[in-house]
Amino acid sequence: MNARSEPREPGVIDTHPQPWPDWRNGDRDQLRSLLDWPSEGVLFDVENNGFWYDGWGSRPSGTAAALATATRMLAQVPKMVPVYGHRYLPGDPRAFGHPVLSMWQTDIIYYGLDLADYIGREFGRVGPGETPWEPTASVEFWRDLV
């Protein structure tokens, strides 16, 4: 779903109807929507909540100009890949060990030290305090929003 055009209620973007992406047989448009979710969430906050990333320079005065600039800048940031619902990992195939991030607009938090840790925590295999919790975001742009 498009975060900016189909909000469930004012100020909140819709969530995913099927939390596990079906990479083999899934609908291409739905998969594209999941891949676009992080950037769409940022654009939603630029448009509706006054968000502006310092690294983009001065915010343009008009909303349309701000959205155009943000869209251009977001096209240059690393892509995030959905793991489950709004939990994401960086899409760099050469990298590993990145923390799993929960991405809801510009509210981005750690959900696991890496994919294995996330699965254990999310689905009950790791209890609180069983592993040290010292995540470090490593992906340009997105780490600044954590």
Side-chain angles (χ1 to χ4, degrees):
M1 291 194 174
N2 185 313
R4 293 186 298 139
S5 65
E6 301 178 27
R8 181 176 297 223
E9 60 185 78
V12 177
I13 57 177
D14 203 359
T15 189
H16 309 292
Q18 297 176 333
W20 292 107
D22 183 352
W23 295 109
R24 291 189 177 144
N25 302 306
D27 177 78
R28 291 178 69 95
D29 290 337
Q30 183 181 22
L31 291 170
R32 171 59 50 204
S33 178
L34 293 173
L35 289 166
D36 291 343
W37 169 271
S39 292
E40 286 292 322
V42 172
L43 292 173
F44 183 89
D45 277 357
V46 167
E47 182 176 21
N48 297 288
N49 299 317
F51 173 78
W52 193 252
Y53 180 64
D54 289 338
W56 296 341
S58 298
R59 182 185 173 108
S61 58
T63 301
L67 282 170
T69 299
T71 299
R72 189 176 69 252
M73 299 305 283
L74 286 166
Q76 300 172 33
V77 304
K79 296 293 182 200
M80 300 298 287
V81 176
V83 174
Y84 179 83
H86 52 92
R87 313 295 191 257
Y88 282 76
L89 278 170
D92 184 350
R94 299 163 297 177
F96 61 92
H98 293 284
V100 173
L101 302 177
S102 175
M103 306 183 84
W104 192 270
Q105 294 164 225
T106 52
D107 181 16
I108 300 176
I109 61 174
Y110 296 112
Y111 248 70
L113 299 170
D114 56 25
L115 182 58
D117 181 71
Y118 160 72
I119 295 292
R121 289 176 191 278
E122 184 80 78
F123 301 102
R125 303 237 191 276
V126 176
E130 287 186 33
T131 59
W133 184 250
E134 296 177 17
T136 302
S138 53
V139 181
E140 184 182 338
F141 176 76
W142 301 108
R143 69 177 167 229
D144 298 336
L145 301 184
V146 177

